[in-house]
Amino acid sequence: MSDAEKPQTGSGPKKLHIKTYGCQMNVYDSERMAEAMGAEGYVLSDTPEGADMVLLNTCHIREKASEKLYSDLGRLKPLKLANPALKIGVAGCVAQAEGAEIQRRMPIVDIVVGSQAYHRLPAMARAADAGQRSLDTEFPAEDKFEHLPARPLQGRPAAFLTVQEGCDKFCAFCVVPYTRGAEVSRPVARILAEARALVARGAREITLLGQNVNAYHGVEDGADWGLARLVRALAKVEGLERIRYTTSHPNDMEADLIAAHGDEPKLMPYLHLPVQSGSDRILKAMNRKHTADDYLRLIEQIRAARPDILISGDFIVGFPGETDADFAATMALIEAVGYGMAYSFKYSPRPGTPAAGRTLVESGVADARLQALQALITRQQRAAQDAMVGRELGVLIERPGRVAGQWVGKSDYLHAVHLTDASLAPGMLVRARITEGWTNSLAGMRLI
Ligand code: 5AD
Ligand code: SF4
């Protein structure tokens, strides 16, 4: 293609539309891909219509991921027919798992980029401009983030920072060890540098991301650093006021990390600690390598260090072999813990995972269990939220609310808080008295 035929010619910056499915790690990856393409002259666009490139950043964790992808690709087809120069890329875990199949079934897909190859996206986009399709689902040894450009100038008050990727746990239901690969931790110095850059660009809160974040083991000057040491070093970064991390595995919740929850004020009192089931039989079948009692004792230790900590979790109902008694054990564990928040899912077999071939629990039974579990969680969530009323909390202002003069921020406990005060602005960390609890958020009054 000659220069004159290239789509960017004449009409201002090229437009990139990214659709992100799934977890916070994908949100972070989409931001990094946007930055990489920004260096190539692309600006983000909210819609696929009129875009020069559309990127679907996919998730494979539960069922219908590929069906959703194919139906989204079907919707993009008319756009591609109307504008053959439009580049279509598929990224993320479905790309990782089924890349070649996607390209075979969907000729409109120019680029398939697996979750560890994002630094190659600009080169793949240039190849697509030259009419070449490309696929990269390798797991290279290098840190992909080091080959991506620096973080953008306009930052957000609450930022994500990936410190670890992959998982060595091999829970019997989960695709992550296959789609994201083995556990890899980024070096300490690079994380600290990225954190400082984020703070310089306006971040006051950083959430450290990893599929198994508390298994973090980075290297600094030849020494092995766990997550607690990393958190303590980040706490010394001036201007950074809040630190969170997600997602953790109970077996990696080491004593120094628990201690940090007690004595590091910048570490926020919120911990996402999935248990999946309360039945030891099912935990064993899931290959979780811990019992319900191990988990309950761990929660006790964490609460001893930080009594007000809000615990959140993930649950799977209807795992193969789950009986009424197993489900009752899960409900009992939830009662015993008292969650501030939890995500729950009906088991869905994932191809290639150990549990994939096992006999399913009858669908209606699993649905009923999920409903009962969600009702219990909703009650607990509501109780935790109501308990905030009357308390004085920190609120980090993130964005304007729907009503004029209203702002929305996040409390220390990650609840959305609405404050009405015209003098607020994104990035301000204020104290507020909580005055009211709504279904999904709180209302408060600014104190200072
Ligand atoms: N079926 C249902 N839920 C799943 N999860 C992971 N794999 C599956 C599956 N095959 C849930 C787990 C995990 C969360 C991210 O997604 O609860 O913690
Ligand atoms: Fe998947 Fe989490 Fe289990 Fe790893 S620890 S296999 S990411 S559920």
Side-chain angles (χ1 to χ4, degrees), residues 308-337:
D308 63 330
I309 199 163
L310 206 140
I311 304 289
S312 90
D314 287 344
F315 294 91
I316 295 180
V317 301
F319 187 77
E322 186 186 73
T323 61
D324 285 341
D326 294 318
F327 178 64
T330 300
M331 295 293 270
L333 178 140
I334 295 171
E335 292 280 11
V337 171

Side-chain angles (χ1 to χ4, degrees), residues 251-316:
N251 291 3
D252 292 313
M253 209 60 219
E254 285 169 9
D256 55 352
L257 187 56
I258 296 174
H261 277 284
D263 60 27
E264 180 43 70
K266 290 187 180 178
L267 189 55
M268 289 292 102
Y270 182 102
L271 178 63
H272 185 58
L273 196 61
V275 63
Q276 313 296 353
S277 168
S279 151
D280 288 344
R281 229 173 51 80
I282 294 298
L283 287 169
K284 195 158 197 291
M286 286 177 164
N287 192 32
R288 289 287 297 180
K289 301 194 178 86
H290 60 75
T291 63
D293 201 48
D294 293 337
Y295 182 81
L296 290 172
R297 274 187 285 125
L298 186 57
I299 297 290
E300 259 171 37
Q301 287 170 36
I302 297 163
R303 285 197 169 132
R306 180 81 202 226
D308 63 330
I309 199 163
L310 206 140
I311 304 289
S312 90
D314 287 344
F315 294 91
I316 295 180

Side-chain angles (χ1 to χ4, degrees), residues 382 385-386 388-389 434-443:
R382 188 66 214 227
Q385 207 167 296
D386 287 347
M388 297 290 159
V389 176
I434 303 304
T435 52
E436 222 182 319
W438 297 331
T439 312
N440 289 310
S441 60
L442 302 167

Side-chain angles (χ1 to χ4, degrees), residues 61 166-177 183 211-212 247-250 274 276 286-288 314 316:
I61 196 92
C167 183
D168 297 342
K169 295 283 187 292
F170 291 92
C171 297
F173 50 81
C174 185
V175 287
V176 167
E183 282 172 12
Q211 266 92 25
N212 219 330
T247 291
S248 298
H249 191 286
Q276 313 296 353
M286 286 177 164
N287 192 32
R288 289 287 297 180
D314 287 344
I316 295 180

Side-chain angles (χ1 to χ4, degrees), residues 5-189:
E5 288 171 286
K6 285 188 181 169
Q8 67 268 35
T9 312
S11 54
K14 291 174 284 184
K15 293 191 190 123
L16 168 65
H17 174 72
I18 306 185
K19 178 165 177 182
T20 307
Y21 312 64
C23 66
Q24 289 153 328
M25 180 86 68
N26 267 11
V27 173
Y28 176 86
D29 284 345
S30 288
E31 283 178 9
R32 301 308 306 267
M33 286 191 278
E35 288 153 22
M37 296 309 290
E40 299 281 305
Y42 283 80
V43 296
L44 278 180
S45 143
D46 287 342
T47 58
E49 288 80 18
D52 299 282
M53 179 167 176
V54 174
L55 201 53
L56 304 176
N57 191 9
T58 60
C59 169
H60 205 228
I61 196 92
R62 284 172 294 276
E63 74 190 322
K64 302 206 175 82
S66 43
E67 288 89 329
K68 222 186 299 174
L69 170 67
Y70 286 113
S71 76
D72 279 351
L73 286 171
R75 274 198 290 277
L76 290 174
K77 211 167 167 182
L79 293 181
K80 177 88 172 178
L81 290 175
N83 172 20
L86 168 66
K87 292 183 284 291
I88 297 183
V90 180
C93 294
V94 183
Q96 188 68 49
E98 304 174 12
E101 169 73 4
I102 293 166
Q103 275 196 331
R104 195 186 57 74
R105 270 181 62 179
M106 297 307 264
I108 62 164
V109 173
D110 303 290
I111 294 166
V112 168
V113 57
S115 46
Q116 300 306 315
Y118 296 151
H119 53 295
R120 293 211 49 238
L121 186 61
M124 294 167 103
R126 286 194 293 270
D129 279 335
Q132 277 165 29
R133 304 177 87 198
S134 35
L135 175 141
D136 190 342
T137 50
E138 292 294 301
F139 283 104
E142 78 258 29
D143 178 349
K144 71 183 175 201
F145 300 118
E146 292 320 304
H147 299 270
L148 291 169
R151 307 304 304 267
L153 284 170
Q154 79 290 16
R156 291 201 205 117
F160 293 131
L161 200 173
T162 292
V163 302
Q164 179 278 338
E165 274 193 276
C167 183
D168 297 342
K169 295 283 187 292
F170 291 92
C171 297
F173 50 81
C174 185
V175 287
V176 167
Y178 313 97
T179 57
R180 291 276 174 169
E183 282 172 12
V184 180
S185 294
R186 297 180 67 195
V188 172

Side-chain angles (χ1 to χ4, degrees), residues 332-379:
L333 178 140
I334 295 171
E335 292 280 11
V337 171
Y339 284 90
M341 161 86 199
Y343 303 92
S344 48
F345 314 98
K346 180 172 157 180
Y347 170 71
S348 84
R350 310 310 297 134
T353 57
R358 299 183 197 165
T359 309
L360 292 175
V361 167
E362 198 198 313
S363 183
V365 171
D367 287 335
R369 287 178 188 164
L370 186 61
Q371 235 180 30
L373 187 149
Q374 286 179 341
L376 175 57
I377 293 289
T378 304
R379 281 203 299 279

